[in-house]
Amino acid sequence: MGRFNFNQFLAKLRGGFVSPFALRRLGVLGMNARNVHYIARYNDRDLYPIVDDKLNTKRAARRHGIRVPELIAAFDSQPSRRRVLEVIEPLWQFVIKPARGSGGKGILVVVGREGENYLKPSGAMVTKEDVLRHVSNIHSGLYSLGGKPDRVMVEALVDFDPVFDKYSFEGVPDIRVIVFRGFPVMAMLRCSTHSSDGKANLHQGAVGVGIDLATGKSCHAVQRGLRISRHPDTEMPFGELVVPGWRDLLRLASSCYEMTGLGYLGCDIVLDRKRGPLLLEANARPGLAIQVANGVGLRTRLKHIEAMDLEQLEKSVEERVNYSMQEFAAVRTLEQKSA
Amino acid sequence: MSPRAQVYILAVILTLMGAGLTIYKNRELGFPLLPGEYRTVWTIEAKVRFTADGGPVKASLTLPRAQRNMEVLGETFSSSGFGFNIVSDDDEYRAVWSRRSASGNQSLFYQLDVHQTPGAPLEQPLDLSTEVEQPFLGAREQEAVRQAIYSLVEGARDRSADTRTFTTQLLTALNDPRNQDRNLIFGYFKDRTLVDVALTVLAAAEIPAHRIRGLYLEDDRRRLDPEDLLEVYDGRRWVVFEPNTGNPGVPRNFFIWQRGGKSLLDVEGGRNSRVTFSVISNDVPARDVAMLSTSNEKEALVDFSIYSLPIEQQSIFKLILLVPVGALVVVLLRVFVGLRTSGTFMPVLLAIAFIETRLFTGLSIFVLILVLGLWVRFYLSRLNLLLVARIAAVVVTVVILMGAISVVSYKLGIEQALTVTFFPMIILAWTIERMSIVWEEDGPYEVVVQAGGSLLVAVLAWWVMTNRFVEHWTFNFPELLLVLLGIILIVGNYTGYRLGELMRFRQLVR
């Protein structure tokens, strides 16, 4: 549970404000500019259903040969909720989530069983009744935007690659890549902590680790807006962190551009032990915390791509990934920053 | 054209339209720009008295014509037992009371409300006869009087350059008790007034002239007799003179009742007829005056507006028109500050409730209901209900809580808490539901942040919405909503940083 830390709050206040000109000089993207210049301009509204409904995302991903966590079943009506129990009966591990949930809301992760009951990653017990109620809440639209009736997805629990085990506490990390017009522009790893209750939401106290696009190594890490060098719970230094199969991961993120058609896109990716990177979900309105995690502004990179001519834009996935890895390497960004 | 340019053009057009209509309403229709402006409205009552002879009776009173510096806001008649109508006759309006048989003393009333506006009272040209009827100064008049009149005329003519100065000189002479000619004339015309004599002398000088009857508007005057002014034709236009001083121009506060023409009052079938006036002044809100003065002309802007609605609906609209202002506050706080609230426009609804309940009562009731509701909701969540049923249960709980709060506080003598009914129940129930989800998913800290943000925005919106200037402008100048729309469009174009982001991205700079 995100506990209120008074000292951190005070430190936040004491830090005060910085001048907007300094932010502009560093190319930091603000919420208003993101909404007007990028989301409204590059993301057509009629493409939203592909990303806003995770079942649609899965379908589109299958068409484009993008790997996703395995879908076990989907339900779209209240009366079918008894079926949910039948479906999960033989399973030990699974995830129940709303198709239209946002911000990770309404996701129930089960990692084991204890008799009739289920176990959450935190060790908390969940009864069958709790599962049913959760399913019913999802159907009623509790977690969907505007309270519209929603569908329930039962997904196989990803067999997470253990490379991040030491960097995440009571939860699994995912990697968010911002893809602009098909080019990966920035990436971060979100690690849950004790204070984020196993969730990977930065504003709840998860750690954001900036990942160097060129190498897949960590280049910066923050928790609650403050720079850190070790994971607060596991004490692991972030300096040693490397994402395996980084190029593959970027390739997957980059190909989401063709899949969704969205110009400004956030891809949430997890690493499976055997299958490699899997697309968890895509987001048409990715947040701006990634800038804090990287300690770098997004706008400079977005402007760089906006300045390209059409020929440069019509590159293959492979070429785009190569271009980004070269152009947006942490070393180069640092040079620009100090210049 | 780029969307951005379109927004600016649209915003400018909307703002100009709104501001233009507002200025028009202020300048032309007299709607006050600031609240609490009062205008003086004069109520003038004419009382016609006569003794009826017993046979058919007909009394007719000349009514004032519309004047440029006086707006007639309304008129009333009282005439028990008499038939009444207004006849228009030779450019003149006359009120006519009639009855088949009447005897004894009769009193008839005509009352009108006028409001004085700046400007010259008279309209030129006035289509009055400029014929001069030579006074009959025949054998019956003594030679001496005739001589005196012509001597006055000659004296004034010598000392003047044109008709205007002539009239002033003549009136000065007629007011000078040392002037022998003047004394002789007044000695002969014992029962005539100054204006009567002046008219006779002017006629002898072949200058077209007539009398103006009217009243000096002074508060709380009763049984006034009409007073006379003199109007003289100088060859091109009519000029008014105050007879006692000889100064040209209509005195301030002079209300012209009758200009030239016939008698003020005619009574057939009665004796001792007399008309007296009384004047009272009232201070009336400027808006009411504007409403009254435009209601006759049916100004489209006023006629097709909320003023044409019944009073009850108007008071509802008074509140509804404040909603856009609250929405603007939300937009400003969201775009420039970046405050997180639960439900985008929920704070506006809260602010409206606060307007009815007063701020502190509203805040405490809201927090009380939210806390009790969350507590009930946590219990309900254990009962495995469907979402809609659960929210309905929360609605019922909220209603019961409201009833309980009302009854308990009433018994305790806290009448203010009775205003609890102004809170939108469904909104409260949804807020409780959302808050409990936030509690479960993001923890109590987030609940405090979101509820606090909502309350902060609601209080700010309440503060702006209860500002008496804002209240006045939204209700009296609804066209200002166009300006508001323009502002919102422009704010919607702001792509700079939010205040919260200056703090959030602090680490990037250091």
Side-chain angles (χ1 to χ4, degrees), chain A residues 316-329:
Chain A
S316 69
V317 173
E318 194 67 39
E319 287 170 314
R320 293 198 306 249
V321 168
N322 284 338
Y323 186 88
S324 287
M325 288 176 85
Q326 197 191 344
E327 199 61 38
F328 303 135

Side-chain angles (χ1 to χ4, degrees), chain A residues 52-54 98-102 143-145 148-151 153:
Chain A
D52 281 351
D53 190 315
K54 294 191 186 81
R100 295 200 199 126
S102 63
Y143 307 105
S144 70
L145 279 171
K148 274 178 283 183
D150 205 350
R151 292 184 284 190
M153 298 162 64

Side-chain angles (χ1 to χ4, degrees), chain A residues 6 68 138 285:
Chain A
F6 190 70
V68 292
I138 293 175
R285 317 167 190 81

Side-chain angles (χ1 to χ4, degrees), chain B residues 211-251:
Chain B
R211 101 176 56 228
I212 286 180
R213 281 203 185 87
L215 300 162
Y216 285 97
L217 298 178
E218 281 168 86
D219 191 18
D220 220 5
R221 302 295 296 270
R222 283 161 212 288
R223 293 180 178 237
L224 282 175
D225 284 316
E227 306 211 26
D228 292 345
L229 298 183
L230 203 58
E231 195 167 31
V232 173
Y233 191 70
D234 73 352
R236 283 179 300 118
R237 52 197 310 169
W238 290 95
V239 185
V240 178
F241 287 89
E242 208 286 315
N244 291 314
T245 60
N247 291 334
V250 182

Side-chain angles (χ1 to χ4, degrees), chain A residues 80-96:
Chain A
S80 64
R81 65 192 181 124
R82 288 279 154 200
R83 275 272 299 143
V84 176
L85 288 185
E86 289 172 33
V87 167
I88 62 175
E89 186 55 41
L91 302 172
W92 277 79
Q93 298 190 320
F94 56 89
V95 179
I96 295 181

Side-chain angles (χ1 to χ4, degrees), chain B residues 270-479:
Chain B
R271 287 167 289 118
N272 301 330
S273 67
R274 193 172 138 80
V275 54
T276 53
F277 297 88
S278 44
V279 176
I280 326 168
S281 83
N282 301 305
D283 284 338
V284 174
R287 194 184 71 85
D288 296 352
V289 175
M291 288 298 306
L292 278 170
S293 66
T294 47
S295 63
N296 300 330
E297 298 153 38
K298 287 281 173 207
E299 274 286 346
L301 202 60
V302 177
D303 196 31
F304 284 95
S305 72
I306 43 173
Y307 304 128
S308 54
L309 295 175
I311 295 295
E312 199 187 334
Q313 268 67 27
Q314 281 195 30
S315 69
I316 295 173
F317 256 101
K318 206 167 187 169
L319 213 56
I320 290 178
L321 284 168
L322 286 172
V323 172
V325 180
L328 177 71
V329 172
V330 169
V331 169
L332 292 178
L333 287 176
R334 179 61 71 88
V335 172
F336 292 124
V337 182
L339 276 182
R340 257 183 290 161
T341 59
S342 100
T344 312
F345 287 106
M346 194 271 271
V348 180
L349 298 174
L350 270 187
I352 288 177
F354 288 165
I355 290 176
E356 304 282 346
T357 60
R358 308 273 187 79
L359 185 63
F360 287 102
T361 338
L363 275 176
S364 25
I365 292 176
F366 176 75
V367 172
L368 186 65
I369 292 184
L370 195 65
V371 169
L372 290 175
L374 276 174
W375 184 57
V376 172
R377 161 66 177 73
F378 275 119
Y379 174 69
L380 286 174
S381 75
R382 287 201 252 146
L383 298 182
N384 290 334
L385 299 175
L386 292 177
L387 174 73
V388 178
R390 188 171 64 218
I391 293 174
V394 175
V395 170
V396 174
T397 314
V398 167
V399 171
I400 293 171
L401 284 175
M402 282 178 161
I405 290 174
S406 297
V407 172
V408 170
S409 59
Y410 183 71
K411 294 283 178 201
L412 290 177
I414 313 168
E415 305 247 337
Q416 262 300 304
L418 288 176
T419 52
V420 63
T421 46
F422 288 110
F423 277 101
M425 282 157 281
I426 308 288
I427 300 292
L428 276 180
W430 263 108
T431 304
I432 290 168
E433 181 65 22
R434 291 252 177 244
M435 288 298 181
S436 80
I437 299 294
V438 170
W439 190 307
E440 280 170 9
E441 298 267 336
D442 299 329
Y445 173 56
E446 192 63 23
V447 172
V448 172
V449 166
Q450 285 197 8
S454 304
L455 280 182
L456 183 63
V457 176
V459 169
L460 283 175
W462 167 87
W463 182 64
V464 175
M465 285 156 88
T466 50
N467 182 295
R468 64 190 199 100
F469 290 94
V470 172
E471 268 182 335
H472 174 81
W473 289 326
T474 50
F475 186 61
N476 292 301
F477 300 97
E479 54 278 358

Side-chain angles (χ1 to χ4, degrees), chain A residues 218-286:
Chain A
S218 92
C219 55
H220 195 263
V222 291
Q223 186 190 27
R224 292 192 190 278
L226 299 174
R227 185 157 191 186
I228 54 172
S229 57
R230 290 165 182 275
H231 191 282
D233 304 316
T234 64
E235 297 288 321
M236 273 295 278
F238 288 111
E240 296 161 17
L241 189 149
V242 188
V243 180
W246 181 241
R247 188 181 285 271
D248 287 343
L249 192 145
L250 285 187
R251 224 178 272 133
L252 179 134
S254 182
S255 58
C256 286
Y257 172 58
E258 273 85 7
M259 175 187 113
T260 59
L262 292 169
Y264 183 74
L265 181 70
C267 300
D268 291 347
I269 297 167
V270 288
L271 286 183
D272 189 272
R273 194 198 300 262
K274 298 189 196 80
R275 302 172 67 204
L278 305 179
L279 178 68
L280 207 57
E281 62 178 283
N283 202 324
R285 317 167 190 81

